[in-house]
Amino acid sequence: MEELKMVKNIFKTVAVVGTGVIGRGWIRVFTRAGCHTRIYDIDSSQTHKTLDWVKRDLNRDVSDDIISSQQAQACLSLISLHTDLEEALTGAQYVQESCPEQLEIKQSIFSKMDEISPSNVILSSSTSGMDIEDIAGGLRGASRCFTAHPCNPPHVLPVVEMMPTKALDSVLLEKAIDFLSGVGQKPIRMNFFIPGYLVNRIQAAVVREAIHLVQSGVAGVEAVDTVISDGLGLRWAIFGNFGTNNTNADGGIREYYNRFGQTYINLMKELDSNPPDFDKEMIEQIGQGVDTMEGDAPISDICRWRDRMILKIRKLKEQDPHP
Ligand code: NAD
């Protein structure tokens, strides 16, 4: 059963601004760690819908024996709903913004948050593609603003990409990283901004080649996915790319790259250089392949199964750590 982790001494009260798909995942991250979590959405009905979603998700965790009903109750008791941004930020030491991916919205909300909250409060954005410098670089409090980009859903996938503005306050960045580690996430630091950050660039490279292989008729959707789910992905879940490469030759990554470097160069030159169009025809072709592969189970059931499986894999990794 999952432990309710208590965060010690650091950031007992947080705020979540924007409570859609990503905001609700952050609510689960922070409450699981014992943080009082003050939630705000411009659409006040959304905070109620989110609270219902959190209740349902916690109940499913209780049914699946991931947490006890007392733990679920403890998480719920830490959430407060607010209809006013200033009220929501009162007392919060860390704020996680998860509003829509539109520059004007992010700029406006960061400007308001910077005005409202004391200068030592950390303001993080979940943005998946924008530069935090564009969002908050011009603010008086730019040095306490960061991107903290999660994977979806944040309470299941721990990695968070951290990116400061140019006005970086490294002490505050360390604090943000310590806090996110303390609540069970895996923050990683980027040295400079690049569109899509790391996650979406790596994802885009794989998506592009997967679509190319199906569109050009080399193999079907299920075959391409099986290569990952019963092949590459099993190793990636343990190591990532470089760690995997390191195990592909008895002498480690140096031997592997020396032996297979030219093969990779040849293949890399072979890879399709044109991105797919994402036109109707392509989307339908892939869509039909996915329908055949997935059957008619509702997406929400498939997501729930995904979450359970990921938690089990993470548990296994914790129980049998890297030597
Ligand atoms: P969403 O549309 O599900 O939720 C956004 C929420 O923000 C809505 O509830 C909306 O009412 C609210 N909102 C809009 N304007 C607001 C304002 N001014 N103040 C407060 N709330 C406001 O979007 P999402 O998928 O949760 O994405 C949120 C952020 O997280 C985006 O920046 C996105 O790029 C990023 N992100 C998304 C994913 C993903 O897979 N969905 C993954 C990682 C990061």
Side-chain angles (χ1 to χ4, degrees):
M1 219 175 253
E2 187 169 302
E3 299 276 316
L4 202 66
K5 306 163 192 120
M6 293 305 292
V7 178
K8 298 218 172 72
N9 300 325
I10 179 169
F11 307 158
K12 292 252 162 57
T13 303
V14 303
V16 170
V17 173
T19 61
V21 171
I22 292 301
R24 72 192 185 193
W26 279 117
I27 294 169
R28 291 234 34 208
V29 169
F30 297 137
T31 54
R32 180 173 66 192
C35 301
H36 292 279
T37 305
R38 305 170 70 82
I39 72 171
Y40 166 77
D41 197 290
I42 199 161
D43 171 3
S44 60
S45 70
Q46 179 61 34
T47 50
H48 291 278
K49 282 187 208 147
T50 295
L51 187 62
D52 288 344
W53 179 89
V54 171
K55 280 181 191 162
R56 271 199 310 279
D57 207 48
L58 283 166
N59 283 338
R60 289 198 198 111
D61 275 4
V62 173
S63 315
D64 289 340
D65 218 17
I66 295 169
I67 55 172
S68 67
S69 53
Q70 289 88 335
Q71 286 171 325
Q73 212 42 53
C75 288
L76 278 177
S77 71
L78 291 166
I79 303 172
S80 59
L81 276 55
H82 302 274
T83 50
D84 176 71
L85 181 64
E86 186 160 2
E87 184 194 293
L89 265 51
T90 304
Q93 297 150 292
Y94 178 96
V95 182
Q96 185 74 40
E97 169 275 322
S98 303
C99 297
E101 189 76 353
Q102 287 173 38
L103 188 58
E104 318 77 67
I105 296 182
K106 304 261 192 213
Q107 282 172 333
S108 152
I109 201 90
F110 265 79
S111 164
K112 285 183 198 150
M113 296 194 304
D114 191 39
E115 262 173 43
I116 293 169
S117 54
S119 59
N120 59 346
V121 173
I122 289 172
L123 307 176
S124 289
S125 174
S126 297
T127 179
S128 46
M130 288 190 271
D131 190 349
I132 189 68
E133 186 65 25
D134 293 337
I135 296 172
L139 299 177
R140 194 166 35 92
S143 62
R144 40 83 169 256
C145 298
F146 305 102
T147 290
H149 171 231
C151 270
N152 182 39
H155 61 296
V156 177
L157 293 168
V159 76
V160 182
E161 301 182 288
M162 301 297 296
M163 176 72 210
T165 64
K166 290 195 175 114
L168 163 71
D169 178 331
S170 42
V171 174
L172 280 184
L173 177 60
E174 281 310 319
K175 265 195 171 181
I177 288 175
D178 281 355
F179 170 65
L180 289 172
S181 305
V183 297
Q185 301 303 94
K186 274 269 173 85
I188 55 119
R189 210 183 275 237
M190 286 184 55
N191 298 325
F192 59 85
F193 173 73
I194 185 163
Y197 296 91
L198 306 182
V199 165
N200 285 324
R201 289 184 82 85
I202 292 171
Q203 183 160 245
V206 174
V207 169
R208 171 153 133 175
E209 188 55 17
I211 291 174
H212 168 68
L213 291 170
V214 173
Q215 265 206 307
S216 55
V218 176
V221 163
E222 188 158 3
V224 171
D225 266 15
T226 304
V227 163
I228 298 179
S229 59
D230 284 286
L232 297 170
L234 289 174
R235 296 193 306 212
W236 283 340
I238 301 169
F239 284 123
N241 173 63
F242 297 118
T244 297
N245 292 168
N246 192 41
T247 61
N248 283 354
D250 289 347
I253 195 163
R254 290 174 186 79
E255 181 188 326
Y256 181 62
Y257 279 1
N258 275 318
R259 275 177 39 202
F260 291 95
Q262 191 55 50
T263 309
Y264 272 115
I265 291 171
N266 296 344
L267 276 176
M268 285 167 182
K269 285 183 184 159
E270 275 274 315
L271 293 179
D272 186 34
S273 57
N274 299 312
D277 283 336
F278 285 85
D279 53 19
K280 257 186 164 172
E281 208 182 27
M282 179 284 269
I283 294 176
E284 195 42 39
Q285 184 187 2
I286 303 286
Q288 283 180 16
V290 170
D291 291 347
T292 309
M293 178 172 74
E294 291 294 331
D296 49 15
I299 297 272
S300 57
D301 288 359
I302 299 173
C303 289
R304 183 66 205 169
W305 178 70
R306 172 201 66 189
D307 294 355
R308 281 201 308 270
M309 294 301 284
I310 293 172
L311 288 176
K312 284 179 188 165
I313 292 170
R314 288 180 58 194
K315 189 60 88 205
L316 281 175
K317 287 170 72 173
E318 272 169 35
Q319 286 165 354
D320 192 353
H322 190 300

